[in-house]
Each structure stands twice: as C-alpha cells, then as structure tokens.
Amino acid sequence: MKKLITLVALAAFTGVHGQIDRSVRPAAAAAPTINIKNSEVFKLSNGITVILSENHKLPRVSFSLTMGASPMIEGSKAGTNNLMGQLLTSGTSKRSKDVLDKEVDNMGASLNADGSSIYFSCLTKHMETGLDIMQDVAMNPAFPQSEFDRIKKQNESGLLSAKSDPNTMASNAEKKIDFPNHPLGDIMDEASLAAITLDDVRNNYKKVFTPNGAYLVIVGDITKDNAVKLAEKYFGTWKGGAVYKEDFGSGLKAKGNRVIFVNKPGAVQSVIDITFPIEMKPGANDQIALNVMNSILGGGSFGARLMQNLREDKAYTYGCYSDFEVTRDGSWFGTSGSFRNEVTDSAITQILNEIAKISDSYVTDDELNLAKSAMAGGFARSLERPQTIARFALNIIRENLPADYYQTYLKRLDAISKDDVLTVAQKYFKNGFNIVVVGNEDILPKLKAFDSDGIIEKLDPFGNPVKEMKKADITADQLIERYINTVTKTTSAKDLAKKMKKVKSVVKKIELSAPQIPMAINMTEVFLAPNKEAIKIEAQGMVFQSSYYDGTKGSEMNMQTGKKAMTAEELASKKKSEGLFPEAAYKISGMKYEIKGIETINGKDYYVLVTNDGDKESYDYFDVTTNLKFKTISISKEGGEVMESTVTYDDYKDVNGFLFAHKLTQTAGEMSLSGVTKSIEFNGEYDKTMFE
C-alpha cells in the first residue's frame, strides 16, 4: 500500500513539474559512430584474400568463395556464364551429381553456385567434409554433357515464361537500352542459348574461376587459427591463370528522352520503367544523398511521392516505385509500375512530374527525417547478422573504401541536408530518360509525345530490335487454305471432304513433363467426328483435369474447383473452333479472324492470324515456307484477370496421311509443360467415360 501511494505521489509530481510540450519535436541525438568489430583479413600462399568473421553463438559456419574477374561481353552467346554457374554443382571429376547431392543432404548442408561464386554452409562438425566438397566443386567441375543438355532444356522453358512476363520483358529492355555493348546489356534469348556449346561453358570457367584476385569469406563458429589452417589446406594449392579485368564504362545516357516499346498483344495494363544509367561506383560521395532522395521519391515506402501520387491520389496503379542500383560493374536509376492502358500516358506524365518536382524544390523536413530514420534503422538491423560484418570487410577491400566507411555511416547519413538532396536530384535527373513501356499496341499513339524525335523504338521480349511487321502477301482465307491443305495433304475442298469422311475418331496420347513436377503426366485427347472432343490429364492414376464437348453441351473438371458444366457463352465460343482442324470451318463457324501481317522471329518469317471467338483472342503463327503452325498465343479474362498462355508446335510427322506436331510446349505464367506425342490412333477404341 505504501509503495502504491509513493508511485501515485511521484506521478502527480511529474505531471506538474515534468510535463512535455508535445507541439515541439524533441531534438535528435547526435548520430553515433558504430563500433563494428573488424573482420580478420589474411592472404593464402596463392594470393586468395580470406575474410573471417567469427561468431560462436551457433555451431554453424559458412564459406563463400567469390571470384575477382570482371563480367565479360558474351554477345551472340549471352547466357554462357549463367549456364556455367548452374552446371558447377552438377558433378565433379570425383563425384557424380547424385553423389554430390547425397553428401550435401546427409550433412544437412547448403551448397549453391553461380557464374562467379560458390557458397557452402554446414554444422561446424562437418566443415572439413564440406570444404572438401567445396574445393572439389571449385577446382574439378566435370560439366557432364547430360547435365548440360538438361539445364539448356530447363532454360528453354524459362525463356518461354519470360516472353509472357511483362516485368521480365521490361527489365530486359531496360538493360539493353541502358547498357549497350556492355556485360549488363547481355540478355540470354533463344538464339544465344541455342548457340552455347559445352566448350563455351568450359572456356568460361577457365577465365572466371582462378585463385588470382579471389576472396574467401568465412563466417561463423571457427577460430582464426583453424580458419588459416583449413583455408590453406583446401584452397592454398589452387593454381590458375591471370584474373580477367576490364572496365566497360558506365552505360549510355541518352541526350533526349527515348520511348522504347515492347509489344504484349492483348495486354490490359502497361508496365512502365523510366530509367537511365548513372556514372557512380560503390562508396561514391553522392551515394548516401542519392539514396535519401530516392527513398523520398519512391524507394519502397508507402508514403513515398510516387506511391502517394499514382496510387493514393490518381488510383492509376497498385504500386509505383523507384530505385537506384549502384554496383561495381554499372549503376542505374529506374522507376517501375503497372498501369491501366487508358492511363498509360497520364502515368508517364505524373512520374516525370515527380522527378521534375524533386529536382526543382526542397523536400520537406518530415520527408527528410523519415527517410533518414528508415535508412538508419535498416542499417542497424543489418548489423545483427554476422554475414553483414564480413560483407562490409569485403566491400572495403574490393571497392577501396576508407577503413572506417561503415563505422561512420550513420554520421554521414545524419549530415545529409535538404540542400544535398536537391543537389543530387539536379545533378542526376537531367534530360535523357529511357521510357520503357510493355503493353498493347493500341497505346502507341499516346507515347509519341514523350519521345524527343517522335520515333518509338520497338524491341522484342529479350530487348532485341524488331522489324516492323510486313504486309501479308495473301489473305486470311488463303492462309487457312494453305495450312489445311498442308496438314491434311489435300489439294481441294472436295478432296478434303472425301478424306475427312473416312475419319471416325482420333485418339492422341501425349506425355507431359515440367522441371517443377517430379513425375510424368499423361494427356489423352479424343476426337469423334464430326465435332465431339474430350481431354483427360492424369498422373499416377489420379485425374487432375478433364473436359468434354459434344457439339451441344460440355463440362470441365479440375481438382481445385470440381466439375462444372460449360456456360452458354463458353459453348458458343467452343462452337466456333470445333473439329479436328477447326480452321477449316472458320468461314462458317462465326469465328472472327484476320491476317495481321508477316512477323520475323529468330530470322524466320511467320504469317500472323488473329482470331476472336468471343471468349479469347488468339494469335496463330504460321511458317511462311512450310505453312505449318509454329505457335499460338491465347489471351482471355478470368475473374477480372488477364490470362495468357503460349503453345509452340514442333516435329510434325505423318500419321495416317495427316501431319501432326509431335512436340509441343505450353507456357502459362511461370509454369511450362513440354509434351511428346507417344501415339496417334485413327478409328480405334476410346474411353467412352471421357464424354460423361
């Protein structure tokens, strides 16, 4: 009781004599100098620089081996270093991939690699075994042909996905435009992937992986004496050639604004990136002020200017952000966001207005203080990770930073003023923006006003220049006739009718596979003359998806939603594309179709036929030389979202006097399925339950 009275009395006294004036912001304390424990740094006998950050809280240790080579221009074989990095952990001269994976799994360890580094993490008690594996991977990669073929195939699927992802398409264009004739502007595409050989991969490894100029970063439960002994034992005898070094410059800053357009047929949104390269190396004097300015403009905070303007005020988008990337090989600025087609030009105007505004007037005190507080907090939290301390030591050595660069970071951040923010904005936000837009061609007329010379540059999904679509030299009906005559091996409508009359049923069995799926998937397609069809997709005795259509009714089933009857609208759409070769009936089925022109893809010409059945819009590509269908891009709306899928066709073979593609690849979003036709049977038995 006495204690309670004392507390009440104390509270009353404080209330009278210690009241705080909350209308006055408290003065900020001086930014401290951070006491960061220095990492141990030493060299091995072959010149590898070792950085050690001891941390004995957990019985774990990690080793990160980073090469000192500069990135190289790969040109027509862009992607070689990327493939090499993926192959590094695919087996060594002593261990097959299976053995390697098993040893790592048995230790509960992690082993990762890319084109310039290898990372290994394990329990302290396993580190000698782990270092033996890491050394083997670094010095003795086998690069087996089978794994090379598998990884190339995997990348082919990835490229198909990239061609339908507008953000990847925008990123590819951004790099190509900002960094021409530069390693950062090398983008792997289908042609460059096809051109890469296993010898290219081996030669790339020899140029990149050498102890000269390399760094070994060790973090965790290990003493310096043990680190010196083990690093020397496993990596000190490694020998290699001179380290590759070349500076390709800081990119190409345009003199005036350039509009770069990447076509995404049917898109209802435009991805907009406004970007340019900057001449800056890590640790440059302007970097901290630039980061503060970027945080205020659009650097991730919900209260940033771009977000407040384009989302909260204008409701053009769910998010619009900006970013300054400063790296040792090249640096750049970029904004990004997805916007409705009808406001594409307005969104560009507002982003440019915000860039101009921050370059013309001071930011507010609240904006400045909030940005600096957020950055200081992020820096402080990063110090909780021992990997951060080791990374700081590596950066100081590689970037030639002052020894106290990170200890004094908060003081330098705290010293940034509104004048500093305005100065860097005026210095770097000068005319010469690359305005990258990925979207539907319908928005093109709205973009010309933003280009200095009024000429919009067009790129493909991988950032390569595209030729204007040539005018078709035939009509849509002539194209369809050529295709039907080719795949049915007929020469006239009478001949076609006679041949199709003999077809009572066709059963196709296709085996599907995907890198993400560890089992074979079987697809069965059944066609019954004249217009019935059914599809079933199954694996290990389980049906994942099925559908049927009998000319008047139909249904669809999948494991997530169950079975649903086709709606009247879906049946009406289906009726426009029924039959073994639906194109043959377009003229009378009600399908809307037109020929857009001739498009060149990887050096080959294709007629482009656009169809619309009321449910989806499709773009069919037919080889000008062979008349065979090469691919189909289908775009539809589902639940308010735009769905896009691409099917490519290859390996046409004669079956019973008809040509059928025996290889296909279907891509939707990040999922890509490869299919191989195992059998096609005419007028045989079929599973009647597929039509129930």
Side-chain angles (χ1 to χ4, degrees), residues 81-94:
N81 182 256
N82 184 290
L83 255 63
M84 185 271 287
Q86 294 177 61
L87 272 166
L88 272 176
T89 56
S90 293
T92 71
S93 56
K94 294 194 297 183

Side-chain angles (χ1 to χ4, degrees), residues 20-193:
I20 299 171
D21 184 354
R22 298 188 184 277
S23 67
V24 179
R25 183 189 296 273
T33 298
I34 301 295
N35 183 22
I36 300 173
K37 182 182 176 182
N38 289 328
S39 298
E40 299 277 359
V41 180
F42 55 91
K43 280 187 176 288
L44 302 185
S45 54
N46 59 356
I48 293 179
T49 300
V50 182
I51 298 167
L52 169 65
S53 179
E54 288 188 49
N55 186 290
H56 301 284
K57 291 181 180 179
L58 293 172
R60 294 196 68 85
V61 62
S62 68
F63 303 87
S64 180
L65 183 65
T66 302
M67 300 301 105
S70 302
M72 307 165 198
I73 292 179
E74 297 175 336
S76 62
K77 295 193 176 186
T80 302
N81 182 256
N82 184 290
L83 255 63
M84 185 271 287
Q86 294 177 61
L87 272 166
L88 272 176
T89 56
S90 293
T92 71
S93 56
K94 294 194 297 183
R95 296 173 170 94
S96 67
K97 176 173 172 52
D98 289 342
V99 169
L100 185 65
D101 291 344
K102 188 174 180 181
E103 287 189 37
V104 172
D105 288 345
N106 286 343
M107 289 187 288
S110 297
L111 173 66
N112 301 298
D114 59 28
S116 63
S117 66
I118 301 173
Y119 173 84
F120 192 88
S121 173
C122 64
L123 293 171
T124 307
K125 64 181 180 180
H126 295 313
M127 67 180 165
E128 283 233 42
T129 306
L131 281 169
D132 183 66
I133 292 172
M134 188 178 182
Q135 173 207 51
D136 197 23
V137 170
M139 299 183 201
N140 310 304
F143 299 126
Q145 181 71 50
S146 59
E147 283 298 297
F148 174 72
D149 294 338
R150 180 185 66 82
I151 287 174
K152 278 192 79 170
K153 193 72 179 173
Q154 212 170 52
N155 277 270
E156 287 173 7
S157 297
L159 291 178
L160 284 172
S161 299
K163 288 168 74 172
S164 62
D165 178 17
N167 292 302
T168 301
M169 294 156 73
S171 175
N172 290 343
E174 181 180 350
K175 290 170 186 172
K176 284 271 193 176
I177 291 296
D178 283 350
F179 296 99
N181 302 312
H182 190 288
L184 290 178
D186 271 341
I187 303 296
M188 181 170 66
D189 58 22
E190 291 151 323
S192 72
L193 177 62

Side-chain angles (χ1 to χ4, degrees), residues 498-515:
K498 184 179 178 182
K499 191 167 187 176
M500 292 302 298
K501 198 170 183 181
K502 297 176 182 178
V503 178
K504 307 302 180 187
S505 69
V506 179
V507 178
K508 275 193 209 178
K509 293 189 180 295
I510 301 167
E511 187 176 282
L512 301 170
S513 62

Side-chain angles (χ1 to χ4, degrees), residues 312-360:
E312 294 303 295
D313 183 34
K314 305 292 190 306
Y316 289 167
T317 181
Y318 287 112
C320 183
Y321 305 95
S322 66
D323 188 28
F324 272 101
E325 287 288 339
V326 179
T327 78
R328 64 199 321 263
D329 302 311
S331 304
W332 64 95
F333 166 80
T335 69
S336 62
S338 296
F339 305 88
R340 303 190 317 275
N341 283 352
E342 59 269 25
V343 299
T344 298
D345 54 336
S346 301
I348 295 172
T349 297
Q350 290 304 318
I351 295 170
L352 293 175
N353 284 347
E354 289 298 342
I355 290 173
K357 182 180 173 183
I358 206 167
S359 305
D360 291 340

